[in-house]
Amino acid sequence: MTTFDDRERAFEAKFARDEDIAFRVSARRNRLLGHWAAAKMKLTPEETDAYAKAVVQADFEEAGDEDVIRKLLGDLIAAGVEVDDATIRQAIAEQTVEARRQLMESK
């Protein structure tokens, strides 16, 4: 029985660790997306920092990436930047890779 309990605890610990890493990657990716979009909108450094935080906050509205995509698409179009859904999804993929790389480097 002890071996089973140990395996269960190990599985739960791994699940918690994986969830924590996924959350950190997502938050870092969203911050990077905020900086990417801010550069396209030609925001000042102060505005860029505030905007990146707003993109991170937008991800808490609903599960998945659709809330972030809506925010970025709406803000970029409102700023007169020609962008489409596919461009934003490509940026999400690229920034996810970069966020994961940054987190692995910091360990």
Side-chain angles (χ1 to χ4, degrees):
M1 196 66 149
T2 304
T3 303
F4 181 74
D5 292 339
D6 290 344
R7 289 182 71 194
E8 183 178 13
R9 274 191 231 104
F11 179 76
E12 289 172 357
K14 182 184 180 323
F15 179 79
R17 204 171 31 254
D18 290 349
E19 288 296 309
D20 180 57
I21 290 170
F23 176 78
R24 288 178 182 208
V25 167
S26 178
R28 177 141 334 183
R29 177 208 63 195
N30 291 338
R31 185 176 303 121
L32 292 169
L33 283 169
H35 283 271
W36 170 82
K40 292 198 170 295
M41 294 186 285
K42 297 179 175 45
L43 300 181
T44 67
E46 296 80 22
E47 293 170 328
T48 296
D49 289 339
Y51 186 73
K53 289 177 185 173
V55 173
V56 171
Q57 290 287 71
D59 195 24
F60 297 121
E61 292 176 14
E62 64 186 52
D65 295 333
E66 295 306 311
D67 45 1
V68 173
I69 292 169
R70 267 195 312 276
K71 174 162 185 53
L72 291 170
L73 189 59
D75 292 347
L76 287 165
I77 289 172
V81 177
E82 287 191 34
V83 67
D84 61 1
D85 189 69
T87 303
I88 292 174
R89 289 183 189 279
Q90 178 63 33
I92 286 174
E94 291 168 0
Q95 298 307 329
T96 299
V97 170
E98 177 62 17
R100 193 174 311 274
R101 186 193 64 75
Q102 289 180 7
L103 284 172
M104 293 303 126
E105 271 185 5
S106 67
K107 287 188 173 188

